[in-house]
mmCIF file of all heavy atoms in Angstrom:
data_model
loop_
_atom_site.group_PDB
_atom_site.id
_atom_site.type_symbol
_atom_site.label_atom_id
_atom_site.label_comp_id
_atom_site.label_asym_id
_atom_site.label_seq_id
_atom_site.Cartn_x
_atom_site.Cartn_y
_atom_site.Cartn_z
ATOM 1 N N PRO A 1 101.590 83.438 95.422
ATOM 2 C CA PRO A 1 102.666 82.478 95.144
ATOM 3 C C PRO A 1 102.823 82.292 93.630
ATOM 4 O O PRO A 1 101.839 82.192 92.908
ATOM 5 C CB PRO A 1 102.182 81.189 95.812
ATOM 6 C CG PRO A 1 101.257 81.659 96.904
ATOM 7 C CD PRO A 1 100.587 82.896 96.348
ATOM 8 N N GLY A 2 104.069 82.283 93.175
ATOM 9 C CA GLY A 2 104.346 82.149 91.749
ATOM 10 C C GLY A 2 104.441 83.485 91.029
ATOM 11 O O GLY A 2 104.764 83.543 89.854
ATOM 12 N N TYR A 3 104.136 84.573 91.747
ATOM 13 C CA TYR A 3 104.201 85.921 91.186
ATOM 14 C C TYR A 3 105.155 86.755 92.025
ATOM 15 O O TYR A 3 105.347 86.496 93.205
ATOM 16 C CB TYR A 3 102.821 86.583 91.165
ATOM 17 C CG TYR A 3 101.883 85.923 90.189
ATOM 18 C CD1 TYR A 3 101.176 84.788 90.546
ATOM 19 C CD2 TYR A 3 101.727 86.428 88.901
ATOM 20 C CE1 TYR A 3 100.323 84.159 89.646
ATOM 21 C CE2 TYR A 3 100.878 85.816 87.994
ATOM 22 C CZ TYR A 3 100.183 84.680 88.372
ATOM 23 O OH TYR A 3 99.356 84.063 87.479
ATOM 24 N N ASP A 4 105.740 87.758 91.415
ATOM 25 C CA ASP A 4 106.673 88.620 92.128
ATOM 26 C C ASP A 4 106.414 90.063 91.710
ATOM 27 O O ASP A 4 105.847 90.325 90.654
ATOM 28 C CB ASP A 4 108.108 88.221 91.811
ATOM 29 C CG ASP A 4 109.087 88.653 92.902
ATOM 30 O OD1 ASP A 4 108.662 89.347 93.855
ATOM 31 O OD2 ASP A 4 110.269 88.298 92.800
ATOM 32 N N ARG A 5 106.861 90.976 92.560
ATOM 33 C CA ARG A 5 106.689 92.394 92.249
ATOM 34 C C ARG A 5 107.835 92.882 91.383
ATOM 35 O O ARG A 5 108.911 92.299 91.365
ATOM 36 C CB ARG A 5 106.605 93.223 93.524
ATOM 37 C CG ARG A 5 107.886 93.249 94.324
ATOM 38 C CD ARG A 5 107.684 94.032 95.617
ATOM 39 N NE ARG A 5 108.808 93.866 96.510
ATOM 40 C CZ ARG A 5 109.828 94.706 96.589
ATOM 41 N NH1 ARG A 5 109.857 95.781 95.836
ATOM 42 N NH2 ARG A 5 110.812 94.487 97.422
ATOM 43 N N GLU A 6 107.572 93.952 90.681
ATOM 44 C CA GLU A 6 108.605 94.604 89.891
ATOM 45 C C GLU A 6 109.681 95.099 90.850
ATOM 46 O O GLU A 6 109.373 95.570 91.943
ATOM 47 C CB GLU A 6 107.960 95.775 89.148
ATOM 48 C CG GLU A 6 108.858 96.505 88.195
ATOM 49 C CD GLU A 6 108.116 97.608 87.469
ATOM 50 O OE1 GLU A 6 107.141 98.144 88.033
ATOM 51 O OE2 GLU A 6 108.525 97.928 86.356
ATOM 52 N N ALA A 7 110.952 94.999 90.456
ATOM 53 C CA ALA A 7 112.056 95.426 91.326
ATOM 54 C C ALA A 7 111.843 96.864 91.778
ATOM 55 O O ALA A 7 111.570 97.747 90.969
ATOM 56 C CB ALA A 7 113.385 95.284 90.587
ATOM 57 N N GLY A 8 111.933 97.079 93.083
ATOM 58 C CA GLY A 8 111.804 98.423 93.643
ATOM 59 C C GLY A 8 110.375 98.910 93.808
ATOM 60 O O GLY A 8 110.156 100.001 94.321
ATOM 61 N N ALA A 9 109.385 98.135 93.371
ATOM 62 C CA ALA A 9 107.989 98.564 93.480
ATOM 63 C C ALA A 9 107.539 98.531 94.937
ATOM 64 O O ALA A 9 107.803 97.582 95.656
ATOM 65 C CB ALA A 9 107.088 97.677 92.636
ATOM 66 N N TYR A 10 106.854 99.587 95.358
ATOM 67 C CA TYR A 10 106.338 99.681 96.722
ATOM 68 C C TYR A 10 104.888 99.244 96.713
ATOM 69 O O TYR A 10 104.060 99.821 96.000
ATOM 70 C CB TYR A 10 106.475 101.124 97.226
ATOM 71 C CG TYR A 10 105.968 101.325 98.628
ATOM 72 C CD1 TYR A 10 106.589 100.717 99.712
ATOM 73 C CD2 TYR A 10 104.865 102.136 98.876
ATOM 74 C CE1 TYR A 10 106.138 100.897 101.000
ATOM 75 C CE2 TYR A 10 104.402 102.332 100.175
ATOM 76 C CZ TYR A 10 105.042 101.710 101.227
ATOM 77 O OH TYR A 10 104.585 101.900 102.510
ATOM 78 N N LEU A 11 104.562 98.208 97.468
ATOM 79 C CA LEU A 11 103.219 97.631 97.456
ATOM 80 C C LEU A 11 102.319 98.195 98.552
ATOM 81 O O LEU A 11 101.249 97.674 98.796
ATOM 82 C CB LEU A 11 103.310 96.107 97.577
ATOM 83 C CG LEU A 11 104.136 95.404 96.496
ATOM 84 C CD1 LEU A 11 104.124 93.903 96.715
ATOM 85 C CD2 LEU A 11 103.625 95.737 95.109
ATOM 86 N N GLY A 12 102.768 99.255 99.219
ATOM 87 C CA GLY A 12 101.985 99.837 100.299
ATOM 88 C C GLY A 12 100.986 100.871 99.798
ATOM 89 O O GLY A 12 101.179 101.501 98.761
ATOM 90 N N ILE A 13 99.898 101.022 100.552
ATOM 91 C CA ILE A 13 98.885 102.051 100.300
ATOM 92 C C ILE A 13 98.540 102.688 101.643
ATOM 93 O O ILE A 13 98.734 102.077 102.690
ATOM 94 C CB ILE A 13 97.618 101.468 99.619
ATOM 95 C CG1 ILE A 13 96.939 100.422 100.514
ATOM 96 C CG2 ILE A 13 97.968 100.890 98.259
ATOM 97 C CD1 ILE A 13 95.642 99.887 99.943
ATOM 98 N N GLN A 14 98.041 103.931 101.607
ATOM 99 C CA GLN A 14 97.680 104.605 102.852
ATOM 100 C C GLN A 14 96.377 105.362 102.668
ATOM 101 O O GLN A 14 96.151 105.993 101.632
ATOM 102 C CB GLN A 14 98.780 105.567 103.296
ATOM 103 C CG GLN A 14 98.459 106.212 104.638
ATOM 104 C CD GLN A 14 99.631 106.946 105.253
ATOM 105 O OE1 GLN A 14 100.617 107.234 104.602
ATOM 106 N NE2 GLN A 14 99.520 107.256 106.519
ATOM 107 N N CYS A 15 95.533 105.312 103.698
ATOM 108 C CA CYS A 15 94.277 106.056 103.709
ATOM 109 C C CYS A 15 94.587 107.498 104.109
ATOM 110 O O CYS A 15 95.072 107.752 105.207
ATOM 111 C CB CYS A 15 93.298 105.421 104.701
ATOM 112 S SG CYS A 15 91.684 106.232 104.772
ATOM 113 N N THR A 16 94.336 108.435 103.203
ATOM 114 C CA THR A 16 94.630 109.838 103.465
ATOM 115 C C THR A 16 93.399 110.695 103.184
ATOM 116 O O THR A 16 92.474 110.262 102.496
ATOM 117 C CB THR A 16 95.801 110.357 102.603
ATOM 118 O OG1 THR A 16 95.441 110.243 101.226
ATOM 119 C CG2 THR A 16 97.069 109.570 102.858
ATOM 120 N N SER A 17 93.424 111.900 103.689
ATOM 121 C CA SER A 17 92.305 112.826 103.520
ATOM 122 C C SER A 17 92.578 113.749 102.335
ATOM 123 O O SER A 17 93.615 114.396 102.264
ATOM 124 C CB SER A 17 92.121 113.656 104.796
ATOM 125 O OG SER A 17 91.025 114.526 104.645
ATOM 126 N N GLU A 18 91.652 113.779 101.404
ATOM 127 C CA GLU A 18 91.711 114.663 100.242
ATOM 128 C C GLU A 18 90.453 115.523 100.256
ATOM 129 O O GLU A 18 89.554 115.311 101.067
ATOM 130 C CB GLU A 18 91.783 113.839 98.947
ATOM 131 C CG GLU A 18 93.014 112.957 98.849
ATOM 132 C CD GLU A 18 94.295 113.762 98.660
ATOM 133 O OE1 GLU A 18 94.254 114.807 97.971
ATOM 134 O OE2 GLU A 18 95.328 113.346 99.211
ATOM 135 N N GLN A 19 90.366 116.448 99.328
ATOM 136 C CA GLN A 19 89.214 117.346 99.279
ATOM 137 C C GLN A 19 87.902 116.569 99.145
ATOM 138 O O GLN A 19 86.904 116.917 99.753
ATOM 139 C CB GLN A 19 89.365 118.326 98.106
ATOM 140 C CG GLN A 19 88.298 119.397 98.102
ATOM 141 C CD GLN A 19 88.559 120.439 97.018
ATOM 142 O OE1 GLN A 19 89.548 120.366 96.300
ATOM 143 N NE2 GLN A 19 87.670 121.395 96.906
ATOM 144 N N GLN A 20 87.929 115.476 98.371
ATOM 145 C CA GLN A 20 86.709 114.696 98.167
ATOM 146 C C GLN A 20 86.449 113.697 99.295
ATOM 147 O O GLN A 20 85.471 112.990 99.278
ATOM 148 C CB GLN A 20 86.750 113.976 96.806
ATOM 149 C CG GLN A 20 87.738 112.827 96.718
ATOM 150 C CD GLN A 20 89.124 113.241 96.260
ATOM 151 O OE1 GLN A 20 89.525 114.388 96.410
ATOM 152 N NE2 GLN A 20 89.877 112.302 95.713
ATOM 153 N N GLY A 21 87.341 113.632 100.287
ATOM 154 C CA GLY A 21 87.167 112.718 101.415
ATOM 155 C C GLY A 21 88.359 111.790 101.553
ATOM 156 O O GLY A 21 89.438 112.063 101.034
ATOM 157 N N ALA A 22 88.147 110.700 102.257
ATOM 158 C CA ALA A 22 89.220 109.730 102.502
ATOM 159 C C ALA A 22 89.429 108.880 101.253
ATOM 160 O O ALA A 22 88.473 108.356 100.684
ATOM 161 C CB ALA A 22 88.875 108.853 103.694
ATOM 162 N N VAL A 23 90.690 108.754 100.829
ATOM 163 C CA VAL A 23 91.026 107.948 99.657
ATOM 164 C C VAL A 23 92.307 107.168 99.930
ATOM 165 O O VAL A 23 93.123 107.557 100.761
ATOM 166 C CB VAL A 23 91.235 108.807 98.384
ATOM 167 C CG1 VAL A 23 89.948 109.483 97.960
ATOM 168 C CG2 VAL A 23 92.344 109.818 98.581
ATOM 169 N N TRP A 24 92.468 106.064 99.217
ATOM 170 C CA TRP A 24 93.703 105.293 99.275
ATOM 171 C C TRP A 24 94.716 105.930 98.347
ATOM 172 O O TRP A 24 94.422 106.180 97.187
ATOM 173 C CB TRP A 24 93.476 103.848 98.848
ATOM 174 C CG TRP A 24 92.688 103.030 99.819
ATOM 175 C CD1 TRP A 24 91.419 102.559 99.650
ATOM 176 C CD2 TRP A 24 93.122 102.571 101.106
ATOM 177 N NE1 TRP A 24 91.045 101.846 100.762
ATOM 178 C CE2 TRP A 24 92.062 101.831 101.665
ATOM 179 C CE3 TRP A 24 94.303 102.719 101.843
ATOM 180 C CZ2 TRP A 24 92.148 101.234 102.914
ATOM 181 C CZ3 TRP A 24 94.380 102.120 103.089
ATOM 182 C CH2 TRP A 24 93.314 101.386 103.612
ATOM 183 N N LYS A 25 95.921 106.189 98.833
ATOM 184 C CA LYS A 25 97.021 106.694 98.010
ATOM 185 C C LYS A 25 97.884 105.500 97.622
ATOM 186 O O LYS A 25 98.330 104.750 98.482
ATOM 187 C CB LYS A 25 97.871 107.725 98.773
ATOM 188 C CG LYS A 25 97.212 109.074 98.861
ATOM 189 C CD LYS A 25 97.126 109.664 97.468
ATOM 190 C CE LYS A 25 96.651 111.094 97.545
ATOM 191 N NZ LYS A 25 96.505 111.696 96.246
ATOM 192 N N HIS A 26 98.111 105.336 96.331
ATOM 193 C CA HIS A 26 98.826 104.187 95.782
ATOM 194 C C HIS A 26 99.935 104.650 94.860
ATOM 195 O O HIS A 26 99.984 105.794 94.445
ATOM 196 C CB HIS A 26 97.879 103.335 94.922
ATOM 197 C CG HIS A 26 96.651 102.849 95.603
ATOM 198 N ND1 HIS A 26 96.524 101.563 96.026
ATOM 199 C CD2 HIS A 26 95.487 103.458 95.916
ATOM 200 C CE1 HIS A 26 95.328 101.404 96.568
ATOM 201 N NE2 HIS A 26 94.690 102.535 96.515
ATOM 202 N N THR A 27 100.779 103.723 94.467
ATOM 203 C CA THR A 27 101.724 103.918 93.385
ATOM 204 C C THR A 27 101.498 102.808 92.368
ATOM 205 O O THR A 27 100.817 101.819 92.654
ATOM 206 C CB THR A 27 103.190 103.856 93.880
ATOM 207 O OG1 THR A 27 103.395 102.587 94.502
ATOM 208 C CG2 THR A 27 103.478 104.965 94.878
ATOM 209 N N LEU A 28 102.069 102.962 91.188
ATOM 210 C CA LEU A 28 101.967 101.912 90.182
ATOM 211 C C LEU A 28 102.860 100.742 90.563
ATOM 212 O O LEU A 28 103.973 100.944 91.027
ATOM 213 C CB LEU A 28 102.419 102.447 88.824
ATOM 214 C CG LEU A 28 101.501 103.452 88.149
ATOM 215 C CD1 LEU A 28 102.176 104.007 86.908
ATOM 216 C CD2 LEU A 28 100.176 102.800 87.781
ATOM 217 N N PHE A 29 102.367 99.528 90.389
ATOM 218 C CA PHE A 29 103.217 98.361 90.577
ATOM 219 C C PHE A 29 102.678 97.203 89.768
ATOM 220 O O PHE A 29 101.549 97.244 89.287
ATOM 221 C CB PHE A 29 103.371 97.989 92.052
ATOM 222 C CG PHE A 29 102.139 97.390 92.674
ATOM 223 C CD1 PHE A 29 101.896 96.029 92.601
ATOM 224 C CD2 PHE A 29 101.230 98.185 93.345
ATOM 225 C CE1 PHE A 29 100.771 95.473 93.188
ATOM 226 C CE2 PHE A 29 100.099 97.638 93.938
ATOM 227 C CZ PHE A 29 99.876 96.274 93.856
ATOM 228 N N LYS A 30 103.510 96.173 89.612
ATOM 229 C CA LYS A 30 103.141 94.994 88.834
ATOM 230 C C LYS A 30 103.406 93.748 89.649
ATOM 231 O O LYS A 30 104.412 93.661 90.334
ATOM 232 C CB LYS A 30 103.984 94.913 87.560
ATOM 233 C CG LYS A 30 103.878 96.097 86.641
ATOM 234 C CD LYS A 30 104.892 95.968 85.512
ATOM 235 C CE LYS A 30 104.860 97.203 84.643
ATOM 236 N NZ LYS A 30 105.842 97.135 83.558
ATOM 237 N N CYS A 31 102.507 92.781 89.562
ATOM 238 C CA CYS A 31 102.774 91.427 90.036
ATOM 239 C C CYS A 31 102.849 90.581 88.773
ATOM 240 O O CYS A 31 101.872 90.495 88.030
ATOM 241 C CB CYS A 31 101.657 90.920 90.945
ATOM 242 S SG CYS A 31 101.714 91.584 92.620
ATOM 243 N N PHE A 32 104.028 90.023 88.495
ATOM 244 C CA PHE A 32 104.210 89.289 87.256
ATOM 245 C C PHE A 32 104.532 87.824 87.544
ATOM 246 O O PHE A 32 105.011 87.475 88.618
ATOM 247 C CB PHE A 32 105.301 89.929 86.381
ATOM 248 C CG PHE A 32 106.618 90.065 87.086
ATOM 249 C CD1 PHE A 32 107.539 89.031 87.080
ATOM 250 C CD2 PHE A 32 106.945 91.240 87.759
ATOM 251 C CE1 PHE A 32 108.750 89.156 87.732
ATOM 252 C CE2 PHE A 32 108.160 91.370 88.412
ATOM 253 C CZ PHE A 32 109.060 90.325 88.399
ATOM 254 N N ASP A 33 104.259 86.990 86.538
ATOM 255 C CA ASP A 33 104.468 85.552 86.636
ATOM 256 C C ASP A 33 105.965 85.267 86.626
ATOM 257 O O ASP A 33 106.658 85.604 85.675
ATOM 258 C CB ASP A 33 103.777 84.868 85.452
ATOM 259 C CG ASP A 33 103.724 83.361 85.591
ATOM 260 O OD1 ASP A 33 104.563 82.784 86.316
ATOM 261 O OD2 ASP A 33 102.830 82.758 84.964
ATOM 262 N N LYS A 34 106.484 84.653 87.678
ATOM 263 C CA LYS A 34 107.923 84.360 87.781
ATOM 264 C C LYS A 34 108.406 83.457 86.651
ATOM 265 O O LYS A 34 109.535 83.564 86.212
ATOM 266 C CB LYS A 34 108.238 83.670 89.116
ATOM 267 C CG LYS A 34 108.172 84.575 90.318
ATOM 268 C CD LYS A 34 108.519 83.766 91.562
ATOM 269 C CE LYS A 34 108.432 84.610 92.815
ATOM 270 N NZ LYS A 34 108.768 83.839 94.009
ATOM 271 N N LYS A 35 107.552 82.550 86.161
ATOM 272 C CA LYS A 35 107.942 81.604 85.118
ATOM 273 C C LYS A 35 108.217 82.300 83.788
ATOM 274 O O LYS A 35 108.967 81.813 82.978
ATOM 275 C CB LYS A 35 106.843 80.561 84.910
ATOM 276 C CG LYS A 35 106.649 79.636 86.087
ATOM 277 C CD LYS A 35 105.533 78.662 85.787
ATOM 278 C CE LYS A 35 104.640 78.565 87.000
ATOM 279 N NZ LYS A 35 103.342 78.026 86.741
ATOM 280 N N ASN A 36 107.561 83.429 83.555
ATOM 281 C CA ASN A 36 107.664 84.101 82.262
ATOM 282 C C ASN A 36 108.571 85.321 82.300
ATOM 283 O O ASN A 36 108.411 86.237 81.506
ATOM 284 C CB ASN A 36 106.270 84.512 81.771
ATOM 285 C CG ASN A 36 105.395 83.317 81.481
ATOM 286 O OD1 ASN A 36 105.894 82.269 81.081
ATOM 287 N ND2 ASN A 36 104.107 83.450 81.686
ATOM 288 N N LEU A 37 109.523 85.352 83.210
ATOM 289 C CA LEU A 37 110.404 86.518 83.331
ATOM 290 C C LEU A 37 111.162 86.801 82.049
ATOM 291 O O LEU A 37 111.246 87.936 81.607
ATOM 292 C CB LEU A 37 111.421 86.300 84.460
ATOM 293 C CG LEU A 37 110.907 86.507 85.862
ATOM 294 C CD1 LEU A 37 112.036 86.234 86.855
ATOM 295 C CD2 LEU A 37 110.395 87.911 86.057
ATOM 296 N N SER A 38 111.732 85.762 81.434
ATOM 297 C CA SER A 38 112.576 85.989 80.263
ATOM 298 C C SER A 38 111.767 86.268 79.006
ATOM 299 O O SER A 38 112.274 86.840 78.054
ATOM 300 C CB SER A 38 113.480 84.777 80.031
ATOM 301 O OG SER A 38 112.689 83.625 79.862
ATOM 302 N N SER A 39 110.495 85.901 78.987
ATOM 303 C CA SER A 39 109.688 86.075 77.781
ATOM 304 C C SER A 39 109.017 87.443 77.704
ATOM 305 O O SER A 39 108.317 87.723 76.750
ATOM 306 C CB SER A 39 108.625 84.980 77.702
ATOM 307 O OG SER A 39 107.680 85.179 78.735
ATOM 308 N N MET A 40 109.210 88.269 78.726
ATOM 309 C CA MET A 40 108.560 89.588 78.759
ATOM 310 C C MET A 40 107.050 89.450 78.594
ATOM 311 O O MET A 40 106.418 90.119 77.805
ATOM 312 C CB MET A 40 109.128 90.519 77.684
ATOM 313 C CG MET A 40 110.601 90.844 77.876
ATOM 314 S SD MET A 40 110.959 91.581 79.478
ATOM 315 C CE MET A 40 110.309 93.210 79.246
#
């Protein structure tokens, strides 16, 4: 609460099989403070 994701950011992750074993596949995303939107 009080934080929001970057527009269009996908917050999902999936457990997949890689050569080194099972790993979580992610993308980059941000949770930012809604109060400080204009201040960057």
